[in-house]
Amino acid sequence: MGELAVDKHVKFILTVEKDKDSFESIVMEHIRLNGAYWGLTTLDILGKLNAVDQDEVISWMMQCQHESGGFGGNIGHDPHVLYTLSAIQVLALFDKIDVLDVDKVSNYIAGLQNEDGSFSGDMWGEIDTRFSYIAICSLALLKHLDKINVERAVNYIVSCKNLDGGFGCTPGAESHAGQIFCCVGALAITGSLHHVDKDLLGWWLCERQVKSGGLNGRPEKLPDVCYSWWVLSSLIMIDRVHWIDKEKLIRFILDSQDKENGGISDRPGDAVDIFHTYFGVAGLSLLEYRGLKAIDPAYALPVDVVNKILIGR
C-alpha cells in the first residue's frame, strides 16, 4: 500500500498547470476552470497552496467571466453554473471572494431557477440535480441564498428521490452516487436532511464498496477512486460512514497512485489525471488520513475555508 506521495502529487499538479501543450491540458481546455479547482483544492488539502501564484491564477480566472456574471470553463468559452461554482471555490481558497461583483454573480445563478424549483445549467436549459446543488452551494458561499426560492428548490430535489433511497438527475431517473452527493449536499446546506431516509440510502451507498475496497457509482460497475468522494461525503452527511471498511478504501486509493511521477488514477494500473488526483486526496481527507487538512463534505472545500466564509473564523 505504501504512503501518500505528497511531494510527487504536488509536482504532478504544478506540471499539469504549466504544460499547456500536453495531451491532458489540450483535452481539458474547455473545462480548465474546473481543473484549477481540482488542482488548487488538492494543493490546499496537502498544505501546499502557497506553491502557486494566486494573483496569476485570479487574473486568468477573471478573464473567464462574462457580462452576465457567469464564468466559462476557459477564456472565450460560454458561461455555465459548473464553472461559476469552480470560480467561487477557487476564490474562496485564496480568501478573495471580494474581487467578485457578488450581486452580479448571484443574480446570474438565481436567474437559472425554473418555476418547478429546478435549475438550468445555462441559457440553453438543460436541467439536472447537479445544477441544483451547484446553485445552492454557490449562493450559500456568496451568502445570497435568499435570491432563490429555497423551498421549491428542495421540493424539486425531493421529487428526484427513488424507492431505493437514492436520487437521480431528474424525477424518475436512476440513482447514481454522483447525483446522490449533489442532492444530499444541497439538502444539507439548506438544512433539509430530514427528507432523506438515512438507513435506506446508507445501505445503498455502503453496497457500493467492492472486494478491492474501492467504491463504484452504481450496482455492477467497476470501482473508481472518484467515488471515494461522492459516496463517502454522502455517508458522512447522513452519519453512516461507519458502514464501510475505511482501511480497505484507503488501501485502494493509495494503490491507485503513480508513485514515480505523481498523480492518482481511477483504479490501480491506469493513467493518472488531475480529476482523480483531487478526488483521491479529498477521499483520504474524509477518511482522516494523517497530515491532510479536513475537507467539508457538503461544500467540497477545506473546513477552515468554509468556516472563514460562513462564520468568520
Side-chain angles (χ1 to χ4, degrees), residues 51-64:
V52 299
D53 183 335
Q54 66 168 282
D55 291 334
E56 183 180 337
V57 173
I58 293 171
S59 174
W60 162 76
M61 195 172 67
M62 295 306 293
Q63 294 178 69
C64 299

Side-chain angles (χ1 to χ4, degrees), residues 248-285:
K248 284 186 72 174
L249 180 55
I250 289 173
R251 192 177 312 124
F252 177 79
I253 297 170
L254 293 178
D255 285 345
S256 301
Q257 300 178 99
D258 181 336
K259 296 174 184 175
E260 292 184 14
N261 302 306
I264 299 175
S265 60
D266 57 350
R267 59 188 66 90
D270 285 355
V272 302
D273 59 63
I274 198 79
F275 175 87
H276 289 94
T277 300
Y278 165 58
F279 287 114
V281 171
L284 290 173
S285 173

